[in-house]
Amino acid sequence: MIYTHFGGKKDVKKKNPVSAGQWGCILFMALLLSFPGLSIKGAKNGLLLWYSSVLPALLPFMICTSLLTALHGVPLIVAPFSPVLKGLMGLSDYGAFALLGGLLCGYPMGAKNCGDFLRAGLISPREGKTLFAVSSFPSPMFVTGYLALKASQAAAPDSVSFWRLAASLYLPAVPLFLLARKLYGFSREEGKKAAVNHSRPEGIWGIDQALSSGVETMVKVGVYLMIFSIAAEFIRNLPLPGQILPAFLVSLMEMTTGMNFSAVSVKGERGILLILWAGAFGGLSGVFQTASVIKNAGLSIRHYVIWKMAHGILACLIFVLLQAGC
């Protein structure tokens, strides 16, 4: 408030400070205009990765997941895994399906399932938060077809065991699940008593919804892959000291590009650890993809980032222990 010369009061609007996000957008736009060649190269790399690998691997699973949910087929799918997922872990049918989707299909299927099932009332908020902490992984197909290949390029092929890599990536789910269950207050009894909402529509309406939801999600995934692949290309061309720092920063932007860059520029066990960390964390591209599929689900993307950082650290630690013990 300020006083005018007539003795009255006049409202003065405070100027909002420029946010970090706004400065980031301005900087990114300036880089796009200043280095069009790098921008185009990064965009091509991201879109090619999306078209050739991510789209054919993820879209069918997304559509099938939505159809199974609409047709109430989830309990049938998770039945073979019930002794572990429901008996030992205490998950509901849909919670078990969310975890399986994250383990088998890769980013961001686990998070998408958590968000979809929470919005539909198929899992409880505590179960959803617990699963959100542990349901995002690189798929086994990606681990065998890409991550293990890059790890063998970083070191001698005979010195890298696929099973050590897989164990390093997937074993952290156990301690992280136990910790998340404790922090969020999820109990086995709650999972067993979970009320399942059977009001989801079936038939052709379910097919249309599955198609539209899957296509919309894949478009968002493609856009984020393109943006962060451009950012990774800029980082690769910065005059940064050493080899580990630029490889880490590229991996921080985009998982697949970071693995490839680490395999070429950082050799030995350090290169493998960078590749493992990238696979476990998923890159900022994966974080933004996850944020796009959990809207209005009551899940915290900040918590997700913390859990994924912990996952990356545990994956590296387990690999070092396995290497030292064998």
Side-chain angles (χ1 to χ4, degrees):
M1 293 285 188
I2 62 172
Y3 288 88
T4 66
H5 63 282
F6 293 108
K9 295 180 180 179
K10 182 180 179 182
D11 291 330
V12 176
K13 294 183 179 179
K14 294 182 179 180
K15 293 184 178 180
N16 294 325
V18 180
S19 67
Q22 291 170 332
W23 279 118
C25 289
I26 293 172
L27 175 61
F28 192 69
M29 183 178 294
L31 290 172
L32 291 176
L33 295 173
S34 302
F35 304 98
L38 293 180
S39 304
I40 294 173
K41 183 179 179 181
K44 285 182 177 179
N45 290 339
L47 291 175
L48 181 61
L49 172 65
W50 174 78
Y51 174 76
S52 62
S53 300
V54 179
L55 181 65
L58 271 184
L59 184 57
F61 282 105
M62 288 186 178
I63 294 173
C64 287
T65 297
S66 298
L67 287 176
L68 280 170
T69 305
L71 299 173
H72 313 307
V74 168
L76 182 64
I77 294 295
V78 301
F81 309 95
S82 292
V84 175
L85 298 180
K86 298 177 65 178
L88 292 179
M89 301 177 70
L91 298 175
S92 64
D93 285 331
Y94 286 91
F97 187 65
L99 182 58
L100 282 176
L103 286 170
L104 299 178
C105 304
Y107 300 107
M109 275 302 301
K112 184 180 186 301
N113 287 340
C114 285
D116 289 344
F117 295 162
L118 274 171
R119 284 187 291 266
L122 299 172
I123 58 177
S124 69
R126 282 190 289 241
E127 184 177 14
K129 291 176 182 178
T130 302
L131 288 170
F132 189 52
V134 297
S135 60
S136 292
F137 292 87
S139 70
M141 290 186 295
F142 179 81
V143 175
T144 55
Y146 194 85
L147 188 148
L149 175 64
K150 295 304 173 183
S152 66
Q153 290 179 4
D158 295 338
S159 66
V160 181
S161 167
F162 166 76
W163 296 109
R164 291 178 197 170
L165 295 173
S168 301
L169 283 170
Y170 296 118
L171 282 180
V174 177
L176 290 177
F177 174 81
L178 295 174
L179 179 59
R181 186 171 67 179
K182 181 71 173 179
L183 291 176
Y184 296 124
F186 174 66
S187 64
R188 294 173 59 184
E189 291 73 21
E190 181 179 352
K192 293 177 181 179
K193 297 178 181 178
V196 179
N197 183 356
H198 293 288
S199 63
R200 294 292 298 273
E202 300 181 6
I204 192 67
W205 192 91
I207 294 176
D208 289 343
Q209 186 189 44
L211 289 172
S212 60
S213 175
V215 170
E216 180 183 355
T217 300
M218 288 310 305
V219 169
K220 293 178 181 179
V221 169
V223 170
Y224 285 126
L225 274 174
M226 180 184 67
I227 292 173
F228 284 96
S229 293
I230 295 173
E233 190 64 29
F234 287 144
I235 292 174
R236 289 178 58 182
N237 288 271
L238 289 175
L240 297 172
Q243 298 173 322
I244 294 179
L245 178 60
F248 173 77
L249 292 177
V250 172
S251 300
L252 184 65
M253 290 294 110
E254 207 285 307
M255 174 180 66
T256 310
T257 305
M259 288 180 183
N260 184 57
F261 188 63
S262 297
V264 173
S265 59
V266 184
K267 297 299 181 179
E269 188 172 286
R270 294 183 301 175
I272 297 175
L273 292 176
L274 280 170
I275 291 169
L276 274 175
W277 187 89
F281 180 69
L284 290 178
S285 173
V287 171
F288 276 76
Q289 292 170 30
T290 298
S292 71
V293 298
I294 62 165
K295 290 182 178 179
N296 304 317
L299 298 171
S300 171
I301 195 63
R302 293 180 181 179
H303 287 195
Y304 174 83
V305 172
I306 295 172
W307 287 114
K308 294 310 295 175
M309 290 178 66
H311 183 189
I313 294 171
L314 284 175
C316 293
L317 178 60
I318 290 174
F319 181 79
V320 171
L321 293 175
L322 290 176
Q323 287 286 89
C326 298

